[in-house]
C-alpha cells in the first residue's frame, strides 16, 4: 500500500535518525533513539488529543525534531514560534491561531516573519516548497550530500532549512549553541571534519568569531552569510582571513536563500549577493536611471501565502531595492521602508515606538537603525521624556518583556524635540543629523 505524505516524511526522519544523521558538536551521534522515542510519544499524544494545530518553540533540537516529525506524520498544521516572544507577541499569536482550519492547513508549516504593520506574520510553506529550496541549493553548489553545522534557531527559516538540506540529501546535521561555540570551539578544531560542512551565520556572529580569532573558520567548505547587509569592513576582514564566504539573499517567504555568491567569487573580490539559484527567478521593477529597481521574485520555494490565507502566489515583492549587473550578479542596495535589521532579526520601528509610547513616560519618540559593526544596525530610540530626569534604565525596564529582547533599543538618545514636517511626519534626514550631534547612552 502506498504511503501518504505524512507517513513518507515520518519514515524519512526515522531512517535518517537510525543512520546517525543528528550529531553532537563533538561528532558523536546525538542519542537518535531518544529522538525517535520522543517522536513516538508525541505522536500518541497528538492522536489522542486531536488538536487543531501544533506549536513548536523548543530550543532543544531533539524535542524540536520529535515534535516536527509527529506533526508532519499526522498532517497537523505546524507553527514555529519564538520562545523569546514577549506578552504582546504571544497575544498576537493566540488571536491568529483562532483562524486555523485543520483541513485547509493540512501538511502546512507556518514560519514566523515580520510584517510592515509591526504585527507577527506567518509565511505558509509545505513539503514541496521546502524541498524545492533544498534541490535548488543542491544543484547550485553541485553537491550530493549537504552537511550542516547549525548555530541559528531552528524556528527561523535559516535554521529550519539547514535541517531540511541535510535530511533530504543524506547529509549530517550538527545543531549547536553559538555562545557555547564561542566559549569552546575545540570540537571544530580537529574532532569534526568541518571541511565537509556548511555553516550559516549572520553578520553579528561572524564579527564575534573574527574578534575571537577563530582561525578554524577558514577550514569550512562554505560559510553562508545572510540575514542582514554585512558591513564592508567585515567583508574585508573575512577576505583577509581567507574565509570561504558565500553571501546570500533570501527570506522566510522564499524558504531561505534564492541567490548565493560562491566562496571563490568572494575571495576574488566580489561582494554581491551572487546569482539566482536554479529554482528561482528575479527581475527588477520600476528601474531608475542608475539601473536599480524594486525586486520581484518567482520561485518554486515561494510561500503559499501569509497565514491564514492560502492562495496561489505567483510572485513576491519584498521591500528591497537592488541592481543586477551584466553577469547576473544581484546587489541589494537597501530597503524601501525604514525596517531595521539587527543581528539578522527584522525590527519594525512602529512596533518599538508603540511599545515605548505605551509606558506613558515619553512625549514623543522615534526609532531608527544606526550602523554598527557587530549588529549591522543598532536599534536606537530618540525620545522626548515627560520628566527630564527620566533614567534610561527605567525606560528600558518599562518595555522589557513586552517585546522581544532584540527589539529593545541598544542606544537611547534624549532630545528636546524630534524633527517633524508640517504633516507631523518624522524627517529622517534631520533626525539622523540630530543623532550625530548627541551622545547616545548605550545599554549593550
Amino acid at each position: 500500500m502506498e504511503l501518504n505524505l505524512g507517513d513518507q516524511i515520518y519514515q524519512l526522519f526515522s531512517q535518517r535518525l537510525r543512520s546517525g544523521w543528528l550529531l553532537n558538536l563533538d561528532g558523536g551521534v546525538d542519542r537518535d533513539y531518544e529522538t525517535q522515542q520522543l517522536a513516538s510519544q508525541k505522536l500518541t499524544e497528538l492522536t489522542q488529543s486531536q488538536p487543531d494545530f501544533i506549536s513548536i518553540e523548543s530550543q532543544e533540537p531533539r524535542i524540536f525534531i520529535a515534535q516536527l516529525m509527529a506533526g508532519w506524520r499526522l498532517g497537523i498544521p505546524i507553527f514555529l514560534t519564538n520562545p523569546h516572544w514577549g506578552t504582546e507577541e504571544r497575544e498576537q499569536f493566540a488571536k491568529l491561531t483562532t483562524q486555523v482550519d485543520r483541513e485547509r492547513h493540512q501538511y502546512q508549516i507556518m514560519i514566523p516573519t515580520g510584517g510592515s504593520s509591526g504585527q507577527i506574520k506567518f509565511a505558509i510553506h509545505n513539503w514541496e516548497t521546502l524541498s524545492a529550496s533544498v534541490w535548488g541549493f543542491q544543484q547550485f553548489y553541485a553537491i550530493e550530500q549537504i552537511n550542516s553545522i547549525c548555530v541559528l534557531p531552528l524556528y527561523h527559516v535559516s535554521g529550519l532549512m539547514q535541517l531540511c538540506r541535510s535530511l533530504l540529501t543524506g547529509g549530517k546535521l550538527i545543531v549547536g549553541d553559538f555562545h557555547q561555540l564561542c566559549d569552546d570551539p575545540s570540537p571544530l578544531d580537529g574532532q569534526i571534519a568541518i571541511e565537509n560542512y556548511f555553516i550559516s551565520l549572520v553578520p553579528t556572529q561572524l564579527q564575534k568569531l573574527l574578534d575571537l580569532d577563530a582561525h578554524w573558520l577558514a577550514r569550512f567548505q562554505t560559510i553562508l552569510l545572510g540575514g542582514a547587509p554585512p558591513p564592508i569592513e567585515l567583508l574585508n576582514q573575512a577576505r583577509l582571513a581567507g574565509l570561504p564566504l558565500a553571501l546570500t539573499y533570501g527570506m522566510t517567504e522564499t524558504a531561505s536563500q534564492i541567490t548565493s555568491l560562491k566562496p571563490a567569487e568572494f575571495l576574488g573580490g566580489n561582494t554581491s549577493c551572487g546569482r539566482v539559484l536554479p529554482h528561482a527567478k528575479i527581475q527588477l521593477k520600476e528601474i531608475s536611471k542608475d539601473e536599480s529597481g524594486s525586486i520581484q521574485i518567482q520561485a518554486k520555494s515561494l510561500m503559499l501565502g501569509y497565514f491564514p490565507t492560502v492562495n496561489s502566489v505567483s510572485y513576491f515583492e519584498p521591500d528591497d531595492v537592488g541592481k543586477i549587473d551584466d553577469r547576473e550578479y544581484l546587489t541589494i542596495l537597501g530597503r524601501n521602508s525604514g525596517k531595521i535589521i539587527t543581528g539578522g532579526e527584522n525590527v519594525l520601528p512602529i512596533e518599538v515606538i508603540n511599545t515605548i509610547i505605551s509606558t506613558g513616560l515619553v512625549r514623543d519618540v522615534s526609532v531608527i537603525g544606526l550602523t554598527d559593526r557587530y549588529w549591522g544596525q543598532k536599534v536606537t530610540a530618540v525620545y522626548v521624556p515627560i520628566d527630564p530626569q527620566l533614567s534610561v534604565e527605567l525606560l528600558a525596564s518599562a518595555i522589557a518583556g513586552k517585546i522581544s529582547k532584540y527589539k529593545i533599543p541598544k542606544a537611547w538618545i534624549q532630545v528636546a524635540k524630534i524633527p517633524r514636517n508640517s504633516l507631523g511626519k518624522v524627517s529622517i534626514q534631520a533626525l539622523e543629523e540630530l543623532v550625530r550631534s548627541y551622545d547616545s547612552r548605550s545599554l549593550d
Side-chain angles (χ1 to χ4, degrees):
M1 186 176 70
E2 186 176 349
L3 298 177
N4 63 29
L5 178 62
D7 288 330
Q8 293 176 42
I9 297 172
Y10 190 83
Q11 187 177 84
L12 174 62
F13 270 99
S14 298
Q15 289 173 346
R16 298 292 291 113
L17 283 168
R18 288 195 298 271
S19 69
W21 161 56
L22 190 60
L23 304 177
N24 293 314
L25 266 177
D26 62 6
V29 176
D30 191 14
R31 294 174 292 179
D32 50 20
Y33 63 91
E34 291 188 18
T35 306
Q36 184 69 61
Q37 187 177 40
L38 286 169
S40 298
Q41 292 171 354
K42 190 64 179 179
L43 189 59
T44 300
E45 174 192 323
L46 293 175
T47 301
Q48 293 174 347
S49 60
Q50 290 292 305
D52 291 331
F53 66 92
I54 177 174
S55 170
I56 305 177
E57 69 170 35
S58 176
Q59 296 184 81
E60 164 56 49
R62 291 183 299 115
I63 296 175
F64 183 99
I65 292 170
Q67 293 180 326
L68 195 63
M69 288 173 64
W72 278 120
R73 168 65 181 79
L74 297 176
I76 299 173
I78 300 170
F79 286 83
L80 304 186
T81 58
N82 187 336
H84 303 298
W85 276 343
T87 54
E88 292 186 11
E89 292 144 324
R90 292 186 181 280
E91 287 173 3
Q92 291 177 30
F93 174 63
K95 290 179 182 178
L96 272 175
T97 52
T98 61
Q99 304 176 68
V100 174
D101 183 321
R102 181 163 172 168
E103 182 175 346
R104 182 165 51 125
H105 298 117
Q106 188 179 38
Y107 293 115
Q108 292 176 354
I109 183 166
M110 274 54 76
I111 308 174
T113 183
S116 59
S117 64
Q119 299 291 305
I120 292 172
K121 283 187 176 182
F122 286 91
I124 304 174
H125 282 280
N126 60 16
W127 192 248
E128 290 183 1
T129 62
L130 300 183
S131 298
S133 177
V134 172
W135 304 138
F137 185 100
Q138 186 184 42
Q139 291 175 54
F140 183 82
Y141 282 100
I143 184 170
E144 183 176 348
Q145 294 181 325
I146 303 171
N147 302 314
S148 291
I149 294 179
C150 179
V151 290
L152 293 169
L154 290 174
Y155 59 80
H156 272 202
V157 70
S158 52
L160 178 68
M161 291 314 302
Q162 291 181 73
L163 183 156
C164 291
R165 289 174 200 143
S166 62
L167 177 76
L168 285 168
T169 66
K172 303 294 185 182
L173 176 66
I174 298 173
V175 183
D177 178 78
F178 178 72
H179 298 293
Q180 179 184 353
L181 184 63
C182 291
D183 293 337
D184 180 20
S186 57
L188 299 187
D189 201 11
Q191 298 181 47
I192 296 173
I194 61 175
E195 59 272 10
N196 299 322
Y197 279 81
F198 287 78
I199 187 171
S200 294
L201 300 172
V202 298
T204 307
Q205 293 173 322
L206 179 59
Q207 184 66 69
K208 176 69 172 177
L209 291 172
L210 284 173
D211 288 347
L212 292 173
D213 190 26
H215 58 278
W216 43 265
L217 281 172
R219 291 176 41 224
F220 272 102
Q221 178 174 355
T222 303
I223 301 170
L224 303 170
L225 187 69
I232 191 65
E233 295 85 355
L234 174 61
L235 298 182
N236 290 338
Q237 191 179 356
R239 191 175 289 117
L240 185 63
L243 302 190
L245 217 59
L247 306 184
T248 68
Y249 173 67
M251 58 213 70
T252 308
E253 289 84 352
T254 60
S256 195
Q257 64 180 264
I258 50 169
T259 76
S260 185
L261 185 70
K262 293 182 178 178
E265 296 169 326
F266 169 75
L267 292 172
N270 194 325
T271 56
S272 74
C273 296
R275 291 185 168 119
V276 180
L277 272 61
H279 69 288
K281 294 180 181 179
I282 289 181
Q283 64 181 23
L284 302 182
K285 289 181 56 185
E286 303 168 354
I287 300 176
S288 63
K289 292 181 180 179
D290 66 355
E291 299 184 349
S292 67
S294 298
I295 291 174
Q296 187 179 81
I297 300 167
Q298 291 180 300
K300 294 178 181 178
S301 62
L302 199 58
M303 67 175 181
L304 308 180
Y306 287 115
F307 180 83
T309 305
V310 180
N311 52 32
S312 178
V313 180
S314 57
Y315 65 89
F316 177 67
E317 295 183 11
D319 188 29
D320 293 316
V321 175
K323 275 186 177 181
I324 300 176
D325 67 17
D326 55 5
R327 295 188 299 162
E328 300 185 342
Y329 287 94
L330 172 70
T331 297
I332 301 299
L333 302 176
R335 298 251 173 173
N336 283 316
S337 71
K339 187 183 296 181
I340 300 167
I341 305 181
T342 180
E345 298 280 4
N346 289 342
V347 177
L348 278 299
I350 187 63
E351 182 183 14
V352 184
I353 288 170
N354 290 339
T355 304
I356 295 174
I357 289 175
S358 71
T359 66
L361 298 173
V362 301
R363 297 186 189 279
D364 199 2
V365 62
S366 185
V367 172
I368 59 174
L370 297 182
T371 301
D372 184 87
R373 75 186 286 259
Y374 278 103
W375 299 99
Q377 287 182 297
K378 180 161 58 178
V379 180
T380 303
V382 184
Y383 67 102
V384 181
I386 292 176
D387 178 1
Q389 302 303 314
L390 174 67
S391 71
V392 169
E393 289 76 9
L394 177 60
L395 189 49
S397 64
I399 65 172
K402 293 184 177 180
I403 53 177
S404 296
K405 188 175 179 180
Y406 66 83
K407 298 178 183 178
I408 295 176
K410 290 184 171 60
W412 299 79
I413 301 174
Q414 180 177 325
V415 298
K417 185 180 180 180
I418 291 176
R420 296 180 180 272
N421 63 20
S422 59
L423 298 177
K425 186 177 180 180
V426 175
S427 171
I428 298 299
Q429 182 177 353
L431 184 64
E432 290 175 345
E433 292 175 358
L434 180 64
V435 165
R436 284 194 288 269
S437 68
Y438 278 77
D439 290 328
S440 66
R441 179 74 182 281
S442 176
L443 290 184
D444 285 356

